[in-house]
Amino acid sequence: MSETAANKRLSKWLSVFGQALKRGDVETAASMFAKDSYWRDLVAFTWNIKTAEGRDAIAAMLEATLTSARPEKLRLDGAASEADGVTEGWFTFETHVARGHGHVRLKGDKCWTLLTAMNELKGHEEKAGPTREKGVEHGSRKERQTWLDRKMAEEAELGHQRQPYCLIVGGGQAGIGLGARLKRLGVPTMIIDQHERPGDQWRKRYKSLCLHDPVWYDHMPYLPFPEHWPVFSPKDKIGDWLEMYTKVMELNYWPSTECRSASYDEKRQEWTVKVRRDGKTITLRPKQLILATGMSGVPNLPNFPGARRFKGVQHHSSQHPGGEAYKGKKCVVIGSNNSAHDICADLWEHGADVTMVQRSSTHVARSDTLMELGLGALYSEAAVKSGITTEKADMIFASIPYALLAGFQVPVYKQIAERDAKFYKKLEKAGFMHDWGDDDSGLFMKYLRRGSGYYIDVGASDLIAEGEIKLRSGVEVTEITPKGVRLSDGSELSADLIVYATGYGSMNGWAAKLISPEVGEKVGKCWGLGSNTRKDPGPWEGELRNMWKPTRQEALWFHGGNLHQSRHYSRYLALQMKARMENIPTPVYGLSEVHHVS
């Protein structure tokens, strides 16, 4: 099919579909979708992050949202393309209150996948380009305030004389990026974090830590990393960038501040949040509370018998400072995912005698191979040169419904398996228990479904294969003895240090801790798709549980994920905050049921 023919086909579909939507003809609109079809909406129609699967679900969504959304002006944006029987392209559209951007894939004349995403609220657009602020008040008048005067006044008032509309608990990359979005939208926002400086969340981790995702995947909103930035960012470099970002984006950030408690007043529709800062208890009263405390939630510390009797040092991987103090010491790392591998390698580099205890199988992907085959088409230097910007890459990725994503991933990991066959053979010969995920869909689906069970190899796997990092696999820990770790096969590992690389609980654990156990159960488990695979129980949700969207607790929100997700989905969370602040009606369609509490 020629480019012109693809354009004509897509333009015609958009025109007919748009006319059906405008006259409220749900039956005709739904009939334009294939039997197996998917409409993913990011806030534009549903004021939710929601995927409708199949004609009946799409019709139900339209019945509930058309009157309030009032969509119009669906227009092809750029050239459409056709390959393997699928015609696809981008389009713009408007609703009654917003402008949006979308993507459509057709099989024949029927829609297979549709993405609709809100870009901006009408009348509340970000000031940028020709609408940017002047920054100075020309002319002469007495008691004129400079930029610094205004900035200092805002910092002195917010949280004291004036309350923030949004309070973000957690000042890592997720909280800071969302804070920047809200700042650009004019939403009074405060970010609080217990660390002394922005970026300390990274600085205080073990010395050798680097991002496992490449630079093209990790940009923050508005300010991309410069072109000389390394492919894999060292933790201290990221920490410095986040501190700089907080200052340059003029965020209201309270460091050394601990959130002690929070409660919601339904009558006043506001939170009462007690924080401890500079030795004093301060009460904040935001309208919206956003927990950006990390996708992984509260650290999982296993309750192994005898742990209190251990005479050495023991801590969770999140508290591991590095291997400098353990030269010549015997170290046991319980776990076999990213942190476990990194910490084992770090201890080995510092001269420790280190053993990994692998209790269940782990998926491993070599970093170079994953970067090329898994991410290269969207997030790489080659992708940038081909015209795929970070924002476009994010939207392409978002256009694939989660129900189809595993199928898209299987051939990628089959190719990885073939390319690195010698690597996997060597690793498994060493006794390492390896898997490709429940349905051979590999690393990213494991991440989405459970947030664990994988390692991006940057060198530790070779150390395991060569016996430099000792391995005990297929065993359980039965007891912590005064001098080490006893395993289910009856053997005992001597240890001066035990690191529990045992993962984290669901983010709603923070809600339970800061608000109440009842609220933690009310909102339910965060993350996972309901895929009915290991650690991701059904039923099928279609979207990540509770992330970046309304929850069962009014005015409580969860924000997190990797840098890509935090960057992309912060836009939609910020738009939801702005709409509520401006009293724009936000009728939520498809608020998720709670099926699991942890």
Side-chain angles (χ1 to χ4, degrees):
M1 181 185 292
S2 70
E3 183 177 309
T4 302
N7 285 358
K8 286 181 178 178
R9 172 174 284 185
L10 213 54
S11 293
K12 181 181 178 181
W13 189 92
L14 288 168
S15 176
V16 175
F17 184 62
Q19 291 169 21
L21 296 182
K22 192 167 186 177
R23 64 178 182 266
D25 186 350
V26 171
E27 184 178 354
T28 297
S31 73
M32 298 180 68
F33 287 79
K35 183 179 179 181
D36 294 321
S37 53
Y38 306 85
W39 183 343
R40 188 170 193 227
D41 181 61
L42 305 180
V43 181
F45 282 69
T46 60
W47 290 103
N48 198 352
I49 295 178
K50 179 73 176 175
T51 298
E53 301 182 5
R55 286 178 187 159
D56 290 347
I58 289 168
M61 187 181 85
L62 286 173
E63 289 281 5
T65 62
L66 266 185
T67 301
S68 58
R70 287 184 264 173
E72 60 176 353
K73 300 179 182 177
L74 281 72
R75 293 170 182 160
L76 187 65
D77 183 24
S81 63
E82 195 275 340
D84 301 322
V86 176
T87 307
E88 63 180 301
W90 300 95
F91 66 96
T92 57
F93 67 95
E94 294 186 16
T95 67
H96 180 55
V97 300
R99 299 180 189 89
H101 201 206
H103 185 271
V104 60
R105 293 182 181 91
L106 303 182
K107 285 186 174 181
D109 294 323
K110 300 291 186 181
C111 179
W112 179 34
T113 72
L114 181 67
L115 171 72
T116 48
M118 184 183 290
N119 274 359
E120 61 185 6
L121 292 163
K122 294 177 180 178
H124 303 284
E125 298 84 357
E126 292 183 4
K127 289 183 171 64
T131 62
R132 72 176 74 218
E133 293 182 357
K134 199 167 185 179
V136 65
E137 184 182 346
H138 288 151
S140 301
R141 68 177 181 84
K142 293 181 179 180
E143 300 182 0
R144 180 172 55 176
Q145 284 192 320
T146 65
W147 167 83
L148 183 59
D149 293 331
R150 294 192 298 273
K151 180 175 181 290
M152 292 177 67
E154 180 180 348
E155 290 174 351
E157 290 174 6
L158 200 62
H160 298 289
Q161 295 96 331
R162 185 165 59 95
Q163 291 297 315
Y165 182 78
C166 292
L167 176 65
I168 301 174
V169 179
Q173 66 270 9
I176 288 171
L178 176 60
R181 299 268 194 200
L182 291 166
K183 181 82 173 184
R184 290 283 297 270
L185 285 169
V187 178
T189 300
M190 179 171 290
I191 305 165
I192 63 172
D193 194 275
Q194 63 184 348
H195 293 94
E196 293 83 2
R197 296 161 56 197
D200 276 354
Q201 302 86 350
W202 289 91
R203 293 188 191 96
K204 292 184 178 182
R205 297 297 303 278
Y206 51 92
K207 208 172 188 179
S208 62
L209 177 64
C210 288
L211 289 183
H212 286 194
D213 296 322
V215 61
W216 308 279
Y217 193 73
D218 292 334
H219 294 301
M220 296 287 288
Y222 308 115
L223 294 179
F225 296 116
E227 291 190 358
H228 73 279
W229 199 265
V231 174
F232 300 105
S233 304
K235 70 177 183 73
D236 296 285
K237 198 170 180 69
I238 282 288
D240 290 347
W241 182 266
L242 294 177
E243 187 169 27
M244 177 279 298
Y245 187 92
T246 303
K247 188 170 185 177
V248 169
M249 297 305 290
E250 301 175 33
L251 307 184
N252 294 299
Y253 189 105
W254 280 8
S256 302
T257 303
E258 182 185 1
C259 182
R260 291 289 184 87
S261 66
S263 59
Y264 188 67
D265 187 325
E266 292 188 9
K267 182 178 285 188
R268 296 172 63 91
Q269 294 189 311
E270 70 179 22
W271 290 91
T272 300
V273 183
K274 302 284 187 181
V275 304
R276 190 75 176 165
R277 186 176 191 234
D278 296 331
K280 299 177 182 177
T281 298
I282 300 172
T283 300
L284 300 173
R285 301 188 184 278
K287 296 295 185 182
Q288 309 289 340
L289 179 62
I290 302 159
L291 299 185
T293 47
M295 178 273 285
S296 301
V298 179
N300 275 332
L301 266 175
N303 187 25
F304 292 132
R308 292 188 178 184
R309 295 179 296 153
F310 181 60
K311 294 181 179 179
V313 177
Q314 55 183 329
H315 50 235
H316 189 266
S317 58
S318 60
Q319 301 300 314
H320 184 65
E324 292 90 339
Y326 296 99
K327 183 176 181 178
K329 303 290 186 180
K330 289 186 178 294
C331 304
V332 175
V333 178
I334 300 172
S336 57
N337 295 336
N338 264 337
S339 293
H341 279 82
D342 283 351
I343 290 169
C344 282
D346 174 64
L347 288 165
W348 177 84
E349 287 179 359
H350 285 93
D353 179 347
V354 58
T355 300
M356 173 186 288
V357 177
Q358 184 189 26
R359 298 177 295 164
S360 58
S361 64
T362 304
H363 171 67
V364 178
R366 292 182 65 245
S367 176
D368 290 348
T369 308
L370 184 64
M371 296 310 107
E372 180 183 346
L373 301 180
L375 292 174
L378 295 181
Y379 300 98
S380 66
E381 201 66 40
V384 172
K385 287 181 179 178
S386 71
I388 299 179
T389 63
T390 299
E391 184 169 355
K392 187 172 184 180
D394 290 349
M395 289 293 286
I396 292 171
F397 203 86
S399 74
I400 304 170
Y402 287 125
L404 297 177
L405 189 56
F408 279 49
Q409 295 289 297
V410 168
V412 174
Y413 286 91
K414 185 177 180 181
Q415 193 176 356
I416 288 173
E418 292 171 352
R419 176 176 293 193
D420 293 333
K422 290 182 180 179
F423 166 80
Y424 291 111
K425 186 175 181 179
K426 183 172 64 170
L427 191 58
E428 290 169 0
K429 186 178 179 181
F432 191 87
M433 299 187 299
H434 182 262
D435 69 66
W436 294 94
D438 286 31
D439 51 4
D440 295 328
S441 58
L443 188 148
F444 196 68
M445 294 311 299
K446 270 199 164 188
Y447 169 71
L448 291 170
R449 290 165 172 170
R450 51 185 281 194
S452 66
Y454 55 86
Y455 168 56
I456 300 175
D457 176 45
V458 292
S461 290
D462 282 335
L463 293 176
I464 292 170
E466 294 160 6
E468 296 294 328
I469 294 174
K470 297 172 185 176
L471 176 68
R472 296 301 305 276
S473 61
V475 292
E476 294 291 336
V477 175
T478 58
E479 182 185 8
I480 305 298
T481 70
K483 294 184 178 181
V485 179
R486 182 166 290 131
L487 303 176
S488 56
D489 62 3
S491 63
E492 183 174 341
L493 299 172
S494 298
D496 300 297
L497 167 70
I498 301 172
V499 179
Y500 300 107
T502 46
Y504 301 81
S506 169
M507 280 183 76
N508 67 318
W510 285 114
K513 185 176 180 180
L514 299 176
I515 306 168
S516 71
E518 292 76 18
V519 168
E521 290 189 5
K522 182 179 181 181
V523 298
K525 182 181 177 70
C526 297
W527 209 258
L529 300 168
S531 61
N532 207 28
T533 56
R534 188 164 183 252
K535 296 189 178 182
D536 184 28
W540 177 247
E541 305 270 352
E543 293 287 344
L544 288 170
R545 299 180 185 97
N546 280 323
M547 298 304 298
W548 318 295
K549 60 185 178 182
T551 69
R552 286 282 164 179
Q553 171 58 55
E554 186 178 357
L556 177 65
W557 310 78
F558 294 94
H559 178 50
N562 59 32
L563 276 90
H564 150 247
Q565 291 169 309
S566 296
R567 173 188 65 244
H568 181 64
Y569 289 101
S570 62
R571 176 196 296 270
Y572 309 111
L573 182 48
L575 288 167
Q576 291 173 84
M577 297 299 97
K578 178 65 172 178
R580 283 163 172 77
M581 190 186 83
E582 299 295 346
N583 294 314
I584 295 170
T586 58
V588 176
Y589 174 75
L591 185 64
S592 296
E593 298 289 337
V594 174
H595 300 287
H596 307 280
V597 297
S598 63

